[in-house]
Amino acid sequence: MEILVVGTGAREHALARTLSLDPAVTRVHAAPGNPGIAQRATLHAVDPLDGAAVADLARSLGVGLVVVGPEAPLVAGVADAVRAAGIPVFGPSAQAARLEGSKAFAKEVMAAAGVPTAAARVATTLDEVAAALDEFGAPHVVKEDGLAAGKGVVVTDDRDAALAHAGACLAKEGGRVVVEEYLDGPEVSLFVLCDGTDVVPLVPAQDFKRALDGDQGANTGGMGAYSPLPWAPEGLVDEVVETVARPTVAEMARRGTPFIGVLYCGLALTSRGVRVVEFNARFGDPETQVVLARLASPLAGVLLAAAQGRLAQVEPLHWRADAAVTVVVASHGYPGQVRTGDPITGLDAAGTVPGVHVLHAGTAVRTTEDDPENPLNDPLLVSDGGRVLSVVGVGETLAAARRAAYVAVDQVNLAGSHHRTDIALAVSEGTEVQA
Ligand code: AMP
Ligand code: GLY
């Protein structure tokens, strides 16, 4: 089977890599992909947000499955266009992707399905925001309703800062915000494959969302991740499947908008029990990089089964006992104004560290003529986005996986780049749970 992966990030690189290692897959294609994905897949310069173009490409390639990575194409209806063309697609419809695209919608579905989550109020005026802030008290949690690449959420003790963020969100056209009760406790990401009716969970991972060591700095898309979570309570996955994933999938089916794809359950393990912090309608980035690094079963068949409503028939997934840690190398300025175009070197050395593979996110190949620094006009790998690389280390323990990842990160040269130095540190020392 040939498969088309839609997207450009390290998550899509991880998907393309894992699919290309599946003996049932004869060829992987990517639209548009990136220079790292090009080592595993044939790239096609197609706009990932253009459903008709993606469906045409899938048809002309004769692929047996399309896997849509990022949220923006899903919310734009790319999966609908591919499905309408009669091609199996792993990814929810635009209607179902609203579980991620609108936090207010997600709250409504969770309420209808009885899924445990933070109490919340949807607000369209600053007065409503102020009332909700006072109702819940500090710390304040204010979320932009729409897609914001992980940057629409402010958690703060400062009421004025919470109001200011809400004001900025409300100033946008159709602006709405969700004000929530604060959830304490460590966070877990659990991806659940869904076929509209049945569900198959993957293994939990933990993401590090803040830009700086010690969970300081701004929220980002994610600066690193690890799996497994030795501190997670036994039975967590089963509990989330029964209390979160199944009721949500049933509610979406009841509404006539079945959910097919990955239900990303972002959870807080609070003193009062498991609560959903957020849903996403896709694989998480960078958690996918560590989850797939641990998957021992072939991936293509299970994604196809989900796309075709056959998850009940798939064999249970097998997982390696190994641990995986990924560290994101980000551009100068990320998550603010990022600088791009800086040369990246050292990837060959990084990739030869035992247990390591390097996944590309925001990279590009530059072939500039008449560059005095590059007289032979060799193709030059340069940064081309906020998160540039995801360096994955696999080892027998989290400590070994982490060591491998950081040895490799030290081989990478990218001017002005930054990365966190404490990904999976506390857990690998067994000292504390990462919140
Ligand atoms: P979201 O985009 O909803 O995942 O929020 C991004 C991050 O903000 C989460 O991963 C949490 O770290 C934090 N966050 C979101 N909602 C809450 C909440 N109700 N209580 C505490 N932290 C939250
Ligand atoms: N790692 C967080 C996300 O993918 O949204």
Side-chain angles (χ1 to χ4, degrees), residues 49-428:
L49 295 175
D50 183 340
V54 172
D56 281 349
L57 175 66
R59 197 185 295 110
S60 70
L61 294 170
V63 298
L65 176 67
V66 176
V67 180
V68 183
E71 59 274 25
L74 294 167
V75 170
V78 168
D80 303 77
V82 175
R83 211 168 274 126
I87 301 163
V89 56
F90 183 81
S93 65
Q95 283 296 322
R98 289 181 70 218
L99 275 183
E100 170 163 5
S102 165
K103 293 190 187 285
F105 175 75
K107 285 288 180 190
E108 180 196 316
V109 170
M110 282 189 262
V115 169
T117 185
R121 302 282 173 264
V122 179
T124 53
T125 67
L126 274 183
D127 284 346
E128 288 170 359
V129 172
L133 292 177
D134 295 338
E135 179 186 353
F136 295 130
H140 302 295
V141 182
V142 177
K143 303 184 173 186
E144 184 168 1
D145 184 40
L147 286 186
K151 297 168 201 160
V153 177
V154 162
V155 180
T156 177
D157 284 323
D158 180 343
R159 190 172 181 277
D160 291 339
L163 276 173
H165 177 61
C169 299
L170 293 177
K172 297 182 188 171
E173 204 186 317
R176 285 202 295 184
V177 297
V178 175
V179 180
E180 282 191 4
E181 151 198 34
Y182 177 79
L183 298 174
D184 62 346
E187 287 185 39
V188 173
S189 301
L190 181 69
F191 306 151
V192 181
L193 309 181
C194 306
D195 69 0
T197 309
D198 281 300
V199 304
V200 172
L202 305 187
V203 289
Q206 191 174 52
D207 178 20
F208 291 69
K209 289 216 165 89
R210 299 289 188 133
L212 306 175
D213 281 2
D215 290 328
Q216 301 298 305
N219 256 323
T220 71
M223 295 298 290
Y226 69 88
S227 178
L229 311 183
W231 47 267
E234 221 181 297
L236 175 69
V237 171
D238 290 343
E239 180 183 346
V240 174
V241 165
E242 295 311 322
T243 64
V244 176
R246 284 197 189 283
T248 301
V249 167
E251 174 64 17
M252 294 302 284
R254 194 188 64 74
R255 291 171 179 235
T257 52
F259 190 92
I260 298 166
V262 184
L263 182 64
Y264 168 137
C265 304
L267 309 158
L269 310 191
T270 76
S271 47
R272 290 177 297 141
V274 176
R275 298 282 183 279
V276 174
V277 176
E278 62 166 342
F279 278 144
N280 292 317
R282 49 158 178 94
F283 285 105
D285 186 347
E287 298 97 309
T288 300
Q289 290 85 304
V290 289
V291 169
L292 292 184
R294 299 188 55 221
L295 179 67
S297 300
L299 179 63
V302 63
L303 297 188
L304 181 63
Q308 295 181 325
R310 294 186 288 102
L311 271 185
Q313 295 159 26
V314 302
E315 300 275 315
L317 296 177
H318 294 289
W319 299 93
R320 296 182 213 287
D322 287 339
V325 173
T326 191
V327 179
V328 169
V329 177
S331 287
H332 182 272
Y334 179 78
Q337 185 78 35
V338 302
R339 193 174 81 198
T340 59
D342 288 307
I344 305 164
T345 58
L347 295 195
D348 288 344
T352 56
V353 175
V356 165
H357 59 273
V358 178
L359 301 171
H360 291 223
T363 68
V365 172
R366 187 167 72 194
T367 47
T368 336
E369 281 172 33
D370 303 326
D371 180 348
E373 287 182 20
N374 186 13
L376 297 178
N377 196 23
D378 287 331
L380 189 66
L381 191 70
V382 297
S383 58
D384 193 35
R387 293 187 292 177
V388 180
L389 302 167
S390 219
V391 178
V392 183
V394 176
E396 280 184 17
T397 61
L398 281 165
R402 165 170 208 280
R403 236 181 344 262
Y406 277 109
V407 167
V409 166
D410 283 343
Q411 303 292 320
V412 175
N413 299 302
L414 168 59
S417 69
H418 62 101
H419 61 268
R420 280 184 63 162
T421 67
D422 64 348
I423 305 299
L425 176 60
V427 68
S428 65

Side-chain angles (χ1 to χ4, degrees), residues 43-55:
L43 303 193
H44 302 273
V46 163
D47 178 0
L49 295 175
D50 183 340
V54 172

